Amino acid sequence: MAVLRWCQHTGVEWHYIAPGKPTQNAFVDSFNGRFRDECLNDTLYSTLSEARSTISSWREDYNQHRQHSALGNITPAEFATKSTLEKQAAQGQNENQDSPSSWRRLGSRVIPQ
């Protein structure tokens, strides 16, 4: 099976989900149900290119424009931007604490401010 070979090659652990046990991976089961209900069941596709186009549009909306409750009701794009800015701010704060310009002299000791 190609997936198992890929897992072995990349070092990814394979976790088998037993048939009829969707709660073993509820996140994926929830996503698959939403994808099926909102995208696949809406249209009878005439061609593969039509299906690819519709799925691509749905994926774009889902990943960029739709708010997700798991992300605090913001879009994934907003979450990514917010996370990046928070990381940069934290890194900048750490760099400032370690820089000589943020140190002061107290007697014979130099301490960070």
Side-chain angles (χ1 to χ4, degrees):
M1 184 189 248
V3 171
L4 292 176
R5 281 194 305 274
W6 178 84
C7 287
Q8 289 172 345
H9 177 71
T10 60
V12 172
E13 290 185 37
W14 177 264
H15 295 280
Y16 180 74
I17 298 172
K21 302 286 185 183
T23 57
Q24 291 178 345
N25 194 351
F27 173 77
V28 171
D29 194 62
S30 174
F31 172 80
N32 287 344
R34 183 170 289 116
F35 177 59
R36 185 177 50 252
D37 292 344
E38 296 177 7
C39 185
L40 298 178
N41 290 348
D42 277 353
T43 306
L44 180 61
Y45 303 104
S46 302
T47 64
L48 183 57
S49 64
E50 180 187 0
R52 285 180 175 158
S53 175
T54 301
I55 291 168
S56 179
S57 296
W58 186 88
R59 185 182 66 235
E60 171 73 18
D61 177 61
Y62 187 85
N63 287 333
Q64 300 297 324
H65 307 292
R66 182 184 300 195
Q67 296 177 346
H68 293 259
S69 60
L71 302 178
N73 291 317
I74 60 176
T75 67
E78 291 170 327
F79 182 80
T81 300
K82 181 180 173 185
S83 296
T84 300
L85 292 174
E86 288 173 354
K87 282 182 186 177
Q88 289 173 348
Q91 287 173 348
Q93 188 176 27
N94 289 339
E95 288 171 6
N96 288 338
Q97 290 175 354
D98 295 335
S99 68
S101 64
S102 67
W103 297 350
R104 64 184 168 96
R105 188 170 288 283
L106 180 63
S108 62
R109 297 182 317 171
V110 177
I111 58 173
Q113 291 182 340

